[in-house]
Structure formats: C-alpha cells, structure tokens
Amino acid sequence: AQSVSQHNHHVILSEAASLELGCNYSYGGTVNLFWYVQYPGQHLQLLLKYFSGDPLVKGIKGFEAEFIKSKFSFNLRKPSVQWSDTAEYFCAVNARSGNTPLVFGKGTRLSVIA
Amino acid sequence: DGGITQSPKYLFRKEGQNVTLSCEQNLNHDAMYWYRQDPGQGLRLIYYSQIVNDFQKGDIAEGYSVSREKKESFPLTVTSAQKNPTAFYLCASSSGTEATNEKLFFGSGTQLSVL
C-alpha cells in the first residue's frame, strides 16, 4: 500500500518569499503524483500532477513540482508567494497499475503574511 | 452547471442515530469516492466505487456503509457503530474505471457533528 508524508504541518511566509513544501511517498512500484490545494471556503482543486516524462511539472498559479525518483519525493515549489496562496496543500499518490484510489498526505497549511 | 453536489452542508447526529450524506454528480463519471477530513489528518479514504453496483472499502470503512445503485449517486451512511463521526466529509469523482491517470473532482463537503 502507498503512503504519503508531508513534512511541514504549518508554514508561515512573508509575501515574495520562496516556497518549498516537502512530500515523500512510500511505494515500491510506479506511481502517479499529485498536489491539490484547498483555499479557505473552497473545494479541493488540482494544482499539478505527474504521470511520466519530464520530472519537473508546472501547474497553475506559478507552482511547480519536481519528481525525484531516487528520493521518493515530489516537492512543491513557488519562487515568490502571494497573500492569495494562503491555503492548505495536499500531496497525493496512487499506483500506476491497477485501479487504486488516491492516498493523501496530512496536508500543509500555508499562511502568507503581508 | 456540471459538478458534484453534496448535501446537507451541515449535519448533526444524535447518539445511536444513523445519518446519510448525499453525493450526486452530473459529470458522467464512473468512479466515486468518499473521504473523511480531520484537522491535521489529511484526507482518509472511507469507500470507493469504480462502477455502478460495486464498491470497495477504503482505509477507514468501519462504521460506514455505502450504496451505488445509480451512476450519478453515491450516498454514505454513518452508522451508530462509528464512534467518532465528527468530521468533514468529502465526496469526489473521476472519469473512467481506470482511476490511474484521472484527476479527482471534489464536492464542497458536509460537516457532521455529534450532538
């Protein structure tokens, strides 16, 4: 079974600071990787996803993530955060083979202060 | 307006009572899911269904039941056997029976509290 670890429970940054949220997964086979975001009072929505190919994937709103297979990691990055990035961020994984649902990490709450 | 509709938005349960959370989608998706969200715990899978009339237990299925009689509907019943039901419940769907490469669409959630 897959599992996902997100290292930071709550991150506080000033506007224009750079962001990196850690995500590590545990699974011996090939995986698909996702980052979801939940803005205050809104639905969960997909930020970006990795299936295959270029390990550096770009998502919406200037976010990107890099898949490092040797480290079982899929960290989320943004060069310069804005106040509107305040949200909860969830990393998720599922096995590439078979009909397996997504397994989510515990989430990281990001607070961006002016 | 396509999407996933969860109702009610807030629900209160008395001790020993079963309650049912509704989830309806008009996206023509085959797969539907129920997750439970607790602060600091992320999303944990309760049940999922890849096709009508079939469903599988997730990681925390005890105390819950589901049905999938129609493609567009996947109601979740929280039974009296669930001793800690207070949580935010999220329904999701994805297209196709192969969930592998499909993103999830989420509903707006139901907050269940125990009186």
Side-chain angles (χ1 to χ4, degrees):
Chain A
Q2 306 96 47
S3 66
V4 178
S5 297
Q6 291 185 242
H7 314 300
N8 310 101
H9 179 61
H10 188 194
V11 172
I12 303 173
L13 293 173
S14 299
E15 278 192 304
S18 64
L19 169 72
E20 181 160 2
L21 301 181
C23 173
N24 287 87
Y25 68 93
S26 172
Y27 183 66
T30 306
V31 296
N32 302 306
L33 296 153
F34 305 79
W35 275 97
Y36 278 83
V37 59
Q38 189 173 33
Y39 297 103
Q42 295 188 26
H43 298 196
L44 270 161
Q45 56 185 284
L46 182 68
L47 204 53
L48 49 79
K49 58 187 178 183
Y50 171 80
F51 296 147
S52 63
D54 189 344
L56 183 63
V57 293
K58 295 189 184 299
I60 60 172
K61 303 187 180 185
F63 286 91
E64 64 179 32
E66 184 175 13
F67 170 50
I68 303 179
K69 190 175 180 180
S70 61
K71 296 184 178 181
F72 297 89
S73 71
F74 190 56
N75 293 355
L76 181 71
R77 300 195 293 248
K78 186 171 184 179
S80 175
V81 296
Q82 301 172 311
W83 178 81
S84 58
D85 293 323
T86 295
E88 190 150 18
Y89 294 81
F90 295 93
C91 183
V93 63
N94 71 345
R96 183 80 53 84
S97 60
N99 298 336
T100 59
L102 289 185
V103 174
F104 286 83
K106 293 186 177 183
T108 297
R109 186 156 61 100
L110 172 66
S111 299
V112 180
I113 55 179
Chain B
D1 188 20
I4 301 177
T5 302
Q6 288 187 243
S7 62
K9 190 171 183 178
Y10 300 97
L11 185 59
F12 297 92
R13 193 192 91 165
K14 296 179 182 178
E15 292 288 339
Q17 185 182 39
N18 292 355
V19 292
T20 297
L21 284 60
S22 170
C23 178
E24 303 278 331
Q25 53 99 357
N26 60 5
L27 300 167
N28 200 34
H29 284 171
D30 283 310
M32 296 186 75
Y33 309 82
W34 275 106
Y35 287 90
R36 169 177 169 146
Q37 186 177 10
D38 297 276
Q41 294 295 317
L43 279 72
R44 292 181 290 168
L45 183 67
I46 304 173
Y47 269 98
Y48 65 104
S49 168
Q50 302 284 26
I51 200 166
V52 175
N53 292 322
D54 188 39
F55 49 83
Q56 286 79 40
K57 292 182 179 180
D59 300 319
I60 55 166
E62 186 174 351
Y64 300 96
S65 66
V66 293
S67 62
R68 187 85 188 278
E69 297 176 1
K70 297 185 297 183
K71 186 176 185 177
E72 59 269 22
S73 179
F74 191 41
L76 173 74
T77 296
V78 184
T79 74
S80 57
Q82 173 49 244
K83 298 306 178 188
N84 184 23
T86 296
F88 190 60
Y89 291 85
L90 282 165
C91 180
S93 71
S94 64
S95 61
T97 55
E98 280 282 337
T100 300
N101 288 346
E102 302 294 337
K103 72 174 187 179
L104 295 183
F105 290 82
F106 284 90
S108 57
T110 294
Q111 175 64 50
L112 175 62
S113 302
V114 176
L115 292 176

